[in-house]
Amino acid sequence: MRRIHTSILWTILLVACAHAAAQEFAPGYLDPEPVLRAAEEAIGTRNLECVTIAGSAYTGAVGQQRLNDKNVDWPDGEPLENFTRTMHWDAGTMTETFDRTPGMNPASWKYGVGWMGGTSTQSNTRQHFYVNGAYGWHQDGTDAAPVAAPPEDAEIWQLDMWLNPHGFLKAARLPGANPVASWRWELGEMGRDGPTTQPERVTIVSITMFGKYRIDATINSENMLQRIHTWVGDPVLGDMNYEHEFTNDSYIDLGDGIRFPTGWHSHQGWDDNYQAQSINAGHNAFGGTLDDITANDCDTDVEVPESARTADFSVRVDTQMLADGVYLLGGSSHNSVAVEFDDFVAVIEAPIDERRSLAVIESVVDLFPAKPIRFVVNTHQHHDHIGGLRTYMHIGATIVTHRLNSTFYTRDVLNYSPRTMAPDMVSLWPPTELAEGYYYELVTENYVISDGQRNLNLYYVHPLDHVEGMLMAYLPNEGIVIEADLFDTHEPPHAGPTQANLTLLNQVRRLGLDVATIVPIHGRPAAWSEFMEVVDD
């Protein structure tokens, strides 16, 4: 009987092996296992537990462009000197430290995505960013208190730990990765490989991470990973391209069969300089030469501080009456302002994202339950100021913006494109009228929203180095100016007036406006006399 059982077992095993060997893949697809194994052997992934890379890096401020146009990239951030990143994949931790000129950007912004105006400006040179599992935090200075990162930022930081050759290959072995492989002939990428005329057959392996990110790696004929790509959800651009590129020549030998790239080049947004597919051409977000590399000598003790573990990122809307029928909707880094008219309401600014805008809309409905929000006024095109425009489109509001913003908005932002990473209301329930053009009013120099009793005057503000297509609002009966980024009160003013401050002053004088109160999108309302002290006039 035992012989019979043994014979049956061997038969089953032989059939199973024969089936595996003869397994066929659909046309265009490959078995990912030998591809992954060859890549692991080529760069010694199984011998690398953790790594520290160091050098100098450049940054791009995603979403802070002055004006979308051909060959207009994300604005350059301050260089990152003495940059060090340590990645420990088994522990799920990554630390990044660097020196950066203070006073130029939000302290919470590392590089690439995540720029949020109206938050604390970086005040120290040495910066620290950490991620451990689902928690992220930063320190503005070595001795500074840790400040929790929003969950959406922490998730991107965690994702970044795996978007490199060794990280990807390790992630492909995790439960739920479900690797899939395909192939194509591909010419070199001009910025990475220079001009090429002969295409190379490459393999693309796709995996799933965190149950939602589809990450693909392009592996060349030398079994080297040269591009790692995914999409991340962005309130403005939707499913946003997010990728890192590496050249064969940048891999160096670290011993024990381990090879690691020294040249980093990251795109956030499509590399579309000539607007073939999109109006937004911003893409270069991070990169540099990080050639001081140490393998398997890493401190794994990255303890999550209590402030990060218990941080509350729920949306809060604080309502403050500025005048009869005029309300500030604050409680965040960005304010909105609601203005009541006879049979409708106008809201100035739809910032951050849909969660924020839905909460503000609910507050407006509570204030004026019988009146629809007919208009939402957009001050300018920076992404932290337009993340809620689609939400107002969903509820039927007309978007009032400067004409210079129109093409970018209608092509890249306010469209029917599916949003699979972070679905919003427009993508789930697209209105019929979206493509008809009913949702926009474009301003060239000035525009008035009125019911015959109250006027809300809108003016084009220029010149500005900060951004093009800026609007400000003015309520003449109340003497209130509402503006964004021209005068902020969330922090003490600069030592002297900025160009934006002086442009605002000149604009008010040129138009002959009688201003009593200035209401910034960032910060508290202030008397006009307080602004005049800043400009020292």
Side-chain angles (χ1 to χ4, degrees):
M1 182 68 70
R2 181 173 298 175
R3 288 180 181 177
I4 295 174
H5 287 168
T6 303
S7 174
I8 293 172
L9 177 60
W10 275 109
T11 300
I12 293 171
L13 289 173
L14 287 171
V15 170
C17 291
H19 175 74
Q23 183 180 1
E24 294 183 1
F25 291 85
Y29 290 87
L30 304 169
D31 182 356
E33 178 56 33
V35 178
L36 292 171
R37 194 182 313 120
E40 289 170 339
E41 292 174 358
I43 62 175
T45 294
R46 295 183 182 181
N47 296 330
L48 185 65
E49 178 183 354
C50 62
V51 68
T52 297
I53 59 178
S56 296
Y58 62 83
T59 65
V62 172
Q64 298 300 304
Q65 68 283 347
R66 184 172 183 270
L67 180 68
N68 285 286
D69 205 351
K70 291 180 180 179
N71 269 325
V72 175
D73 205 343
W74 304 128
D76 292 336
E78 296 300 307
L80 309 183
E81 303 295 342
N82 302 311
F83 177 90
T84 300
R85 176 195 281 190
T86 297
M87 296 176 283
H88 196 294
W89 296 284
D90 288 344
T93 62
M94 181 172 76
T95 65
E96 291 174 280
T97 59
F98 50 81
D99 294 330
R100 179 169 59 192
T101 304
M104 305 300 291
N105 50 261
S108 60
W109 180 67
K110 185 167 61 173
Y111 46 75
V113 296
W115 184 290
M116 193 61 62
T119 58
S120 299
T121 301
Q122 177 188 328
S123 60
N124 293 288
T125 299
R126 193 65 173 163
Q127 299 294 295
H128 303 260
F129 289 82
Y130 305 88
V131 65
N132 184 340
Y135 300 103
W137 64 99
H138 75 274
Q139 290 176 247
D140 183 5
T142 301
D143 298 324
V147 177
E152 57 271 21
D153 287 354
E155 187 169 87
I156 295 294
W157 299 354
Q158 177 70 216
L159 187 66
D160 265 332
M161 184 172 62
W162 304 92
L163 296 185
N164 55 81
H166 290 274
F168 176 87
L169 294 173
K170 290 177 180 293
R173 301 303 188 184
L174 295 176
N178 301 324
V180 177
S182 183
W183 66 273
R184 63 173 170 244
W185 284 294
E186 187 173 281
L187 286 170
E189 197 274 324
M190 177 68 75
R192 184 189 65 218
D193 306 310
T196 56
T197 58
Q198 185 64 32
E200 176 186 14
R201 179 167 167 150
V202 298
T203 304
I204 305 96
V205 178
S206 177
I207 65 172
T208 301
M209 283 213 70
F210 308 152
K212 67 177 184 179
Y213 292 100
R214 197 188 84 188
I215 305 173
D216 52 84
T218 301
I219 303 174
N220 62 27
S221 58
E222 297 179 46
N223 300 315
M224 308 294 279
L225 282 73
Q226 65 183 37
R227 176 177 182 251
I228 302 173
H229 161 267
T230 189
W231 292 268
V232 299
D234 182 78
V236 173
L237 298 178
D239 293 352
M240 187 178 76
N241 180 61
Y242 198 97
E243 63 186 6
H244 293 286
E245 294 184 337
F246 311 92
T247 63
N248 280 12
D249 292 342
S250 79
Y251 282 82
I252 62 173
D253 188 353
L254 302 180
D256 201 18
I258 301 169
R259 301 176 72 187
F260 204 91
T262 62
W264 286 68
H265 186 64
S266 170
H267 293 155
Q268 296 178 21
W270 290 115
D271 187 357
D272 192 9
N273 289 333
Y274 293 100
Q275 300 175 318
Q277 304 292 329
S278 59
I279 296 301
N280 183 284
H283 55 284
N284 288 308
F286 172 79
T289 301
L290 307 174
D291 55 4
D292 183 1
I293 305 177
T294 304
N296 297 325
D297 183 16
C298 309
D299 182 5
T300 61
D301 186 19
V302 182
E303 184 177 351
V304 179
E306 189 66 14
S307 59
R309 198 178 296 278
T310 61
D312 180 11
F313 289 99
S314 58
V315 177
R316 188 182 88 244
V317 179
D318 297 334
T319 303
Q320 177 186 350
M321 191 171 93
L322 301 174
D324 184 30
V326 182
Y327 288 84
L328 178 77
L329 301 148
S332 175
S333 56
H334 296 63
N335 301 320
S336 298
V337 177
V339 181
E340 180 187 20
F341 292 86
D342 184 53
D343 57 357
F344 65 90
V345 177
V347 173
I348 297 120
E349 209 71 316
I352 306 179
D353 57 18
E354 182 155 280
R355 286 180 66 227
R356 176 69 193 170
S357 289
L358 287 173
V360 168
I361 289 167
E362 288 294 329
S363 295
V364 173
V365 171
D366 288 343
L367 289 168
F368 314 110
K371 298 183 179 183
I373 299 174
R374 284 278 314 281
F375 300 95
V376 59
V377 177
N378 162 239
T379 61
H380 64 292
Q381 65 175 262
H382 284 170
H383 288 196
D384 55 320
H385 288 262
I386 64 174
L389 283 183
R390 289 170 59 91
T391 313
Y392 284 85
M393 171 178 276
H394 165 75
I395 66 164
T398 296
I399 297 166
V400 184
T401 189
H402 194 270
R403 64 175 181 81
L404 292 174
N405 303 323
S406 173
T407 307
F408 168 48
Y409 288 0
T410 54
R411 281 276 301 276
D412 293 10
V413 185
L414 308 172
N415 54 33
Y416 287 124
S417 297
R419 296 194 169 205
T420 62
M421 299 306 303
D424 63 4
M425 289 190 166
V426 168
S427 65
L428 294 172
W429 304 290
T432 303
E433 294 84 359
L434 191 155
E436 301 297 330
Y438 305 148
Y439 275 96
Y440 319 105
E441 289 288 346
L442 303 182
V443 179
T444 298
E445 290 295 336
N446 55 72
Y447 188 89
V448 179
I449 298 173
S450 179
D451 59 3
Q453 301 296 319
R454 163 173 278 162
N455 286 354
L456 176 62
N457 299 345
L458 307 177
Y459 301 109
Y460 170 41
V461 183
H462 63 101
L464 287 172
D465 294 335
H466 181 63
V467 73
E468 254 290 14
M470 173 72 83
L471 295 181
M472 74 176 200
Y474 175 60
L475 290 164
N477 292 343
E478 294 80 9
I480 294 175
V481 158
I482 304 155
E483 53 75 29
D485 297 353
L486 306 178
F487 174 63
D488 297 333
T489 59
H490 67 286
E491 291 184 313
H494 293 269
T498 65
Q499 189 232 16
N501 296 158
L502 296 175
T503 294
L504 173 60
L505 176 65
N506 292 335
Q507 181 90 355
V508 168
R509 286 179 167 172
R510 184 168 60 248
L511 295 170
L513 308 184
D514 184 12
V515 181
T517 304
I518 183 167
V519 180
I521 296 302
H522 301 306
R524 57 175 174 76
W528 184 253
S529 58
E530 182 177 335
F531 171 72
M532 293 303 294
E533 291 177 5
V534 172
V535 296
D536 193 29
D537 191 80

